[in-house]
Amino acid sequence: MATLRFQALGELFKRQPVSVSLPSPRVTDYYGELVFGKEAMQKYLSKDAYEAVLDAIEAGTTIERKISDAVALGLKSWALDKGATHYTHWFQPLTDGTAEKHDGFIDYGEGGNIISNFSGKLLAQQEPDASSFPSGGIRATFEARGYTAWDVTSPAFIVGTTLCIPTIFISYTGEALDYKTPLLKALAASDKAATDVCQYFDKNITKVHNNLGWEQEYFLIDEALYLTRPDLMLTGRTLMGHASAKDQQLEDHYFSSIPERVTNFMMEIEVEAHKLGIPAKTRHNEVAPNQFELAPIFEECNLANDHNQLIMDVMKRVARKHKFAILLHEKPFAGINGSGKHNNWSMATNTGVNLLSPGKNPKGNMLFLTFFVNVISAVYKHQDLLRASILTMSNTFRLGANEAPPAIVSVFCGTQLSAMLENLVEKVTSEKMTPEEKTALKLGIGRLPEILLDNTDRNRTSPFAFTGNRFEFRAVGSSANCAAAMTALSAAVAQQLREFKVDVDALIKSGVKKDEAIFQVIKKLIIESTPIRFDGDGYSDEWKKEAARRGLSNITSAPESIGKYLDPASKKALVEGGIMSERELEARVEVEYEKFIKKVQIEARVLGDLAINHIVPTAVAYQSHLIENVKGLKEIFTDSEFEELAGARKELIKDISHHISSIKAKTKAMINARKEANVIEHAKEKAFAYEQKVRPFIDDIRYHIDKLELVVDNEMWPLPKYRELLFNR
Ligand code: ADP
Ligand code: MG
């Protein structure tokens, strides 16, 4: 019988593109139809209820019980009209992905008859039995109870026949157990700090929000092949596989035409996204074969993040329908590009100003400069926090490798803006500036918009790049919840803006004029944060040396990086900034260590299994063939003829033996290393043990397997090869 691999390959000959038709040629006809947005609210809510919800979204007011009952009623009625039968509080625990527990609208009425029921209480708060989500020990000491509470700022939506209500997830004692709670707090802190600073420039600015535009990279492979690769199914990446003779070296995949089967998949994703009010806009091929990208138009950060979480789910579902498996892992294939999730980020005011876009007049430019420089400073002071927020186990394969941002955090400004900053340092003297000098300086910045047009050079090697009207945090992993990165960034920027205000206020108090004071502090920040600015090639070895000279940290180890959450600078931003309590932060760090440990453990187990029960038996079988062959040769040839003929075959037999023995010995040693690590109680030490003692075996064992793949009879090899995984679609 053919191996599973050949059966799977056989499936490919039968594949047809799954056809997709648009619900209507006009996207506006169905955009947002599954979202309880403004339009639906106006239709289903009373004026009072509608306004209360808008108020809650815009001004953060709380919704009274009476009103939430009215909202629940309207929401239920809308959902039933759309065919929903169940509802769920949709939340983001500290695992990969989202969680939901569905309840039917069905209930007993007063007379014992069946009615459909949904109240304000059910809308506002739920108590899922969620004791098996990671909590870093927070719940263990109190109660296993966790609560979900309605996030009014992100509209409810329908998936299939379920009404999903975005919620936060907290413990009985109020500690955050999810990604959303700290994100909302960080966004609020950044709003407050940024608004305070904006007040120097424009009294009309009373609110500042963060924008996020994520670019989601992913791989698609055929489902039949996926199902025959236990490593892909259980770990999200291939733990073995020799490089394909051709992969991305011809650079012929990037932006090339998209195959029909994939186009149909993308089209369906977009339709689904648009119905859910996710403004999907861009789709293209990425660098590696079978690698693609999806990007929406940016939105408010919390909403954008919900949408990213949701789209990852939608993508998985739609992929199945098209007989694809979608790989969101950061590095599904060794030796070719991995996937990231660029987080395009900016801050904008209630007056419609993008604070990271150079203005049209001197005042606007001062505002831009203030925020631009403060963000750079924040990244400088909190580089370790930012890295901690993105360096997960799976992202370690990408970060610091040669195709992805380095593990050194730096900021790319581009030549023009860098020159502008240098110029400013020179022009702002300790003596009092004349009004003319000030205007000249402001005007100097004023010339930026034209220059910027061609200044957004595509420096692809920077982890944090300014791209004209936003910063692009490129080190975020493709499978990650963006909230971790956005929480760290917003908290860091908020902290920096608070410090900025303290400094400026102190100068003003000592008699310095406001403009002058702002210039002085900006100058100080530019000088101070010089080391973080780097416009060169971030992949080069020279940069590593140069960064070390500059005193920048370069951490490629996830356990080491996770620990930086507890550094004084990080605590300042997170704990003093009111984003997390000390206890919540410690619990979070504990969860991160645990996740790291478990992911390495799973990889080690899967590799051990595959090595021993897939690869070794195959290699032994092929070796037996060879041995039979050699024996046959010996029978029919004379001794001297035999020596000449069988030499190469005997070498091959030895070679195979060597690899088999190495695999067996190393797998055994890996299991022992795991046993030793498993008895360590302290999560941090255990994570280090897994990283230093267990993890190296994974590559080591793989090396021998990949060598075997090259010599063992292709017909016998059990797992789909890289060339098959990467070029079938
Ligand atoms: P590229 O791949 O060239 O970087 P894309 O068009 O793929 O660009 O993605 C850019 C992303 O940045 C989109 O999601 C876009 O909406 C977003 N974006 C554009 N301007 C801003 C901004 N001011 N703030 C945040 N995100 C932005
Ligand atoms: Mg980009």
Side-chain angles (χ1 to χ4, degrees), residues 220 253 256-257 259 261-262 285 289-290 292 324 726-729:
L220 283 179
H253 193 253
S256 63
S257 77
R261 223 181 126 199
V262 179
N285 285 6
N290 277 10
F292 307 93
F324 280 125
L726 288 168
F727 291 96
N728 283 307
R729 58 200 174 198

Side-chain angles (χ1 to χ4, degrees), residues 23 173 193 213 449 459 495 525 593 615 622 679 688 726:
T173 42
N459 181 313
Q495 173 61 28
L525 293 179
Y593 284 134
I615 305 304
Y622 179 57
V679 296
F688 274 103
L726 288 168

Side-chain angles (χ1 to χ4, degrees), residues 270-285:
E270 281 166 4
V271 170
E272 292 298 310
H274 292 157
K275 285 184 189 165
L276 287 163
I278 305 173
K281 184 174 169 70
T282 309
R283 59 184 187 203
H284 62 75
N285 285 6

Side-chain angles (χ1 to χ4, degrees), residues 613-632:
N613 58 36
H614 280 58
I615 305 304
V616 168
T618 306
V620 168
Y622 179 57
Q623 194 190 32
S624 304
H625 270 303
L626 290 174
I627 292 171
E628 282 308 310
N629 175 270
V630 172
K631 278 188 191 157

Side-chain angles (χ1 to χ4, degrees), residues 3-266:
T3 58
L4 278 179
R5 168 169 160 242
F6 280 95
Q7 288 178 41
L9 288 170
E11 286 296 306
L12 300 184
F13 290 99
K14 300 181 219 152
R15 287 279 182 261
Q16 292 294 329
V18 174
S19 65
V20 175
S21 55
L22 292 172
S24 151
R26 254 188 278 253
V27 64
T28 45
D29 287 347
Y30 56 93
Y31 190 84
E33 70 176 29
L34 296 177
V35 183
F36 196 57
K38 279 189 184 168
E39 210 178 298
M41 283 199 283
Q42 268 169 334
K43 200 165 149 204
Y44 284 87
L45 298 184
S46 67
K47 194 163 171 291
D48 281 358
Y50 176 66
E51 275 167 8
V53 173
L54 281 199
D55 251 18
I57 295 173
E58 273 149 32
T61 50
T62 41
I63 293 184
E64 290 166 41
R65 181 59 193 279
K66 215 174 78 214
I67 297 285
S68 68
D69 272 335
V71 176
L73 216 61
L75 182 56
K76 182 189 77 178
S77 166
W78 170 77
L80 293 178
D81 284 352
K82 294 274 176 193
T85 55
H86 287 66
Y87 63 90
T88 182
H89 274 197
W90 181 81
F91 58 102
Q92 302 169 24
L94 298 170
T95 53
D96 297 338
T98 54
E100 46 197 80
K101 175 186 163 227
H102 299 186
D103 281 303
F105 285 118
I106 182 170
D107 209 343
Y108 284 121
E110 273 168 28
N113 53 325
I114 291 291
I115 57 163
S116 68
N117 185 33
F118 187 60
S119 65
K121 187 164 160 263
L122 292 174
L123 166 66
Q125 189 173 312
Q126 297 256 305
E127 188 199 318
D129 176 22
S131 49
S132 26
F133 289 111
S135 74
I138 278 185
R139 272 184 327 231
T141 45
F142 292 87
E143 298 190 46
R145 272 194 276 177
Y147 287 93
T148 50
W150 182 26
D151 170 16
V152 188
T153 60
S154 182
F157 53 90
I158 293 174
V159 173
T161 53
T162 303
L163 168 68
C164 301
I165 300 152
T167 55
I168 57 167
F169 179 43
I170 52 176
S171 73
Y172 180 62
T173 42
E175 279 113 348
L177 299 172
D178 67 348
Y179 283 111
K180 193 191 256 282
T181 309
L183 176 64
L184 289 173
K185 287 189 179 169
L187 294 175
S190 130
D191 174 10
K192 168 86 176 61
T195 303
D196 284 350
V197 168
C198 285
Q199 285 281 312
Y200 287 135
F201 303 89
D202 184 350
K203 296 283 178 211
N204 294 319
I205 298 178
T206 53
K207 192 168 169 57
V208 172
H209 66 271
N210 287 236
N211 282 321
L212 166 64
W214 41 263
E215 299 163 55
Q216 178 74 51
E217 293 179 341
Y218 60 94
F219 279 85
L220 283 179
I221 62 167
D222 190 88
E223 188 183 47
L225 298 175
Y226 173 78
L227 292 173
T228 59
R229 293 275 323 206
D231 49 353
L232 273 179
M233 288 177 67
L234 300 180
T235 73
R237 74 177 186 110
T238 53
L239 297 176
M240 56 189 70
H242 195 277
S244 167
K246 171 187 188 291
D247 45 49
Q248 64 188 40
Q249 63 273 63
L250 295 178
E251 295 171 348
D252 52 357
H253 193 253
Y254 193 54
F255 284 5
S256 63
S257 77
I258 306 173
E260 188 185 355
R261 223 181 126 199
V262 179
T263 309
N264 290 1
F265 162 80
M266 288 175 166

Side-chain angles (χ1 to χ4, degrees), residues 458-493:
R458 293 308 195 181
N459 181 313
R460 287 279 162 191
T461 65
S462 176
F464 200 87
F466 185 70
T467 49
N469 60 357
R470 61 190 188 269
F471 280 97
E472 198 169 325
F473 192 10
R474 300 209 185 102
V476 185
S478 49
S479 69
N481 186 316
C482 303
M486 292 296 101
T487 300
L489 180 58
S490 305
V493 170

